[in-house]
Amino acid sequence: MFVRRIAVVGTGYVGLTTGACLASLGHHVVCADVDAEKIKRLSNGEVDILEPGLADLVAGGLAAGRLSFVLGAAAAVEGSEVMFLCVPTPMGVGGVADLSVVESVLEEVATLLPAGAVVVNKSTVPVGTAQRTAELLERDDIAVVSNPEFLREGSAVHDFLHPDRIVVGCDTQDAAEKVAALYARLGAPTVLTDAASAELVKYAANCFLAMKLSYVNAVAELCDRLGADISDVTEGMGYDKRIGQAFLQPGPGWGGSCLPKDTSAMLQLADAADFEFRLIRATIDTNNRQRQRMVEKVRLAVTGKRGGSLSKVRLGILGLTFKAGTDDLRDSPALAVSALLRQAGAKLTGYDPALRSSDTRADLDGITVVDDPYRAAEGVEALVVLTEWPEFRGLDWGKLAGVVSRPVVVDTRNLLDPDVLRRAGFEWNGLGRP
Ligand code: UDX
Ligand code: UDX
């Protein structure tokens, strides 16, 4: 296997995972970031994101001398054969992906990249970005490759080292094969295609996942109205291999740093191509509606009537991150529902296993964050489960029944066992479950 000298620009979830995993595969990797503090901590092996296995990989790479961290892209690209771009491509005006960071990095390194180097877009970028990247570089001795990442937060290292597939898009066969060879040891199916198709794979895949979730959330609503049980319905659906059991868990809506951004970027892409992508429009609308539906469920559970007032009602929130297993709050459905509950006048005390009460992130404004789930339950009229942390199942519900003012649970993740709750004296309200 060829050991390559690789530069990775951006050390967030995607960049740090990519760098550390490629170093663990034997490559020499220099990671760069603009955040000097972060680079100092990483150089000491301190990883500040919650990703199982990542800190060990970083420590291993540092110890083996195959992984290092530098400030700024320019310092990383010297002598590198491949440069991965893993910098933010946030949602810009009108939902279009904002490429300003990508472009500023390219300007910084355009003249510094060695002849024959390959620039790889790993960030999620709109169709046509590889072409735009080549135009910005103005170097015909540099190839540009699209190599989207499919890792999930909370299992990033596992997903990187056990990929369902590798997608590599480039109009130059050599460059495409050079990038594909970096992953050879993983033994995954590899899709070699043109850059535009590779760029679209990422959006199409993420939008399909979002669509599947909006669909199951809509079916759960139907179950609520028809008295059917969504758990049995999804089990019955999921045995069909064409559907699969994965991503059929109803909830308060989908969120995170990717699905919301990528669905709206796909809409813009389609609009720009004069195509009204109604399915994606409906997927996003269903998701926004789902967040509102959670508030209606709380109103009904607390007041016993549809649309009942939540003014000055004290609620305990269990789960604030966008999903279990991560400390990421970006576009969290739990925070979106919490904001709607506050707008309705409710007073919120929240607990999340990945967060501390000392957390000052603005996303948590208006929620009293505590370090103990039992404190979050003190004197509340209902507990609302918004993130599917498994540890909530193991809580002492008998003890909780003793501290709440009313033993009512709204479980927007169908996470808890209704029988356990009922034996503890709680009224349990799930999604699409009788
Ligand atoms: C990022 C993008 O946000 C996402 O769109 C893309 O699909 C994959 O890469 P993520 O790794 O989650 O996702 O981003 P984030 O955790 O925000 O990290 C980005 C890193 O880039 C940060 O460490 C930031 O400091 C760094 N950065 C930002 C640079 O190195 N240079 C810059 O100019 C700006
Ligand atoms: C997603 C894609 O899964 C990943 O392939 C891509 O690279 C980045 O975007 P991630 O953002 O980590 O990964 O989140 P994911 O695990 O997909 O969950 C997205 C949202 O859907 C979360 O809010 C989660 O709680 C919700 N979800 C997921 C459900 O409500 N039900 C499910 O069955 C699965």
Side-chain angles (χ1 to χ4, degrees):
M1 180 192 78
F2 286 101
V3 171
R4 296 280 181 204
R5 298 191 69 77
I6 298 171
V8 174
V9 182
T11 60
Y13 287 87
V14 173
L16 187 58
T17 305
T18 300
C21 289
L22 287 172
S24 76
L25 293 176
H27 301 290
H28 288 273
V29 180
V30 182
C31 289
D33 203 287
V34 287
D35 181 336
E37 265 311 301
K38 193 172 192 176
I39 289 297
K40 212 161 64 194
R41 286 198 306 275
L42 285 169
S43 301
N44 296 330
E46 293 164 43
V47 173
D48 57 12
I49 48 178
L50 187 65
E51 277 299 340
L54 189 53
D56 295 343
L57 277 189
V58 168
L62 288 168
R66 278 199 305 272
L67 182 62
S68 59
F69 298 92
V70 296
L71 186 60
V77 297
E78 235 173 289
S80 67
E81 298 161 85
V82 179
M83 177 188 86
F84 280 89
L85 278 172
C86 302
V87 290
T89 54
M91 208 192 289
V93 182
V96 178
D98 170 0
L99 296 180
S100 55
V101 175
V102 170
E103 293 177 357
S104 71
V105 172
L106 291 171
E107 264 157 47
E108 185 184 343
V109 301
T111 56
L112 305 173
L113 283 160
V118 176
V119 170
V120 182
N121 274 328
K122 200 163 230 347
S123 289
T124 307
V125 291
V127 175
T129 304
Q131 196 181 330
R132 173 107 185 91
T133 302
E135 286 158 11
L136 282 168
L137 286 170
E138 293 179 332
R139 295 269 311 263
D140 50 23
D141 59 347
I142 303 271
V144 179
V145 168
S146 165
N147 172 224
E149 185 45 57
F150 302 96
L151 58 83
R152 291 162 298 164
E153 289 184 29
S155 57
V157 170
H158 173 274
D159 292 353
F160 191 101
L161 297 176
H162 306 88
D164 291 332
R165 80 308 209 171
I166 303 286
V167 174
V168 176
C170 182
D171 307 331
T172 323
Q173 190 70 12
D174 274 8
E177 283 166 1
K178 190 187 258 185
V179 173
L182 298 174
Y183 304 97
R185 275 178 59 186
L186 301 177
T190 299
V191 179
L192 282 180
T193 180
D194 62 279
S197 304
E199 288 159 344
L200 197 55
V201 170
K202 175 66 184 193
Y203 284 115
N206 267 3
C207 290
F208 187 89
L209 293 172
M211 198 170 61
K212 192 174 181 181
L213 292 174
S214 281
Y215 182 81
V216 78
N217 284 336
V219 174
E221 179 172 353
L222 205 48
C223 286
D224 271 336
R225 293 165 183 256
L226 300 175
D229 186 331
I230 189 69
S231 308
D232 297 342
V233 171
T234 52
E235 188 188 350
M237 286 168 62
Y239 283 122
D240 183 325
K241 293 185 184 51
R242 296 165 298 173
I243 299 172
Q245 296 285 0
F247 265 60
L248 284 181
Q249 187 57 41
W254 39 265
S257 65
C258 291
L259 297 194
K261 167 170 79 69
D262 296 347
T263 45
S264 85
M266 177 72 121
L267 266 190
Q268 303 313 322
L269 267 179
D271 278 356
D274 206 19
F275 167 49
E276 196 197 348
F277 210 144
R278 292 197 196 137
L279 261 178
I280 304 295
R281 166 63 25 214
T283 294
I284 296 171
D285 291 349
T286 302
N287 200 49
N288 295 335
R289 176 188 158 77
Q290 188 69 358
R291 295 170 177 196
Q292 195 57 45
R293 248 177 41 80
M294 299 308 106
V295 176
E296 295 318 314
K297 271 197 174 279
V298 174
R299 288 183 191 281
L300 186 60
V302 170
T303 69
K305 55 182 192 289
R306 291 190 189 290
S309 167
L310 291 177
S311 175
K312 297 194 176 55
V313 168
R314 295 191 53 211
L315 299 172
I317 303 294
L318 295 178
L320 296 163
T321 55
F322 85 94
K323 65 174 186 177
T326 179
D327 54 356
D328 200 340
L329 295 172
R330 291 180 285 183
D331 222 320
S332 165
L335 293 181
V337 173
S338 295
L340 293 170
L341 290 169
R342 285 180 45 235
Q343 274 166 32
K347 305 265 173 256
L348 309 185
T349 306
Y351 167 75
D352 189 289
L355 304 183
R356 299 268 77 45
S357 55
S358 54
D359 196 314
T360 55
R361 282 178 280 181
D363 308 279
L364 298 168
D365 286 357
I367 303 171
T368 309
V369 177
V370 294
D371 297 326
D372 171 349
Y374 299 92
R375 279 202 44 221
E378 279 167 12
V380 302
E381 294 188 50
L383 285 167
V384 185
V385 177
L386 287 171
T387 309
E388 72 286 13
W389 288 97
E391 72 174 69
F392 295 154
R393 287 201 196 99
L395 293 175
D396 180 341
W397 290 94
K399 178 176 167 190
L400 283 167
V403 297
V404 296
S405 86
R406 292 189 57 231
V408 173
V409 166
V410 177
D411 181 0
T412 74
R413 295 284 185 169
N414 288 349
L415 173 72
L416 307 170
D417 179 337
D419 298 334
V420 169
L421 273 286
R422 290 186 184 125
R423 277 199 296 277
F426 273 92
E427 176 199 309
W428 176 84
N429 303 279
L431 291 194
R433 305 273 324 265

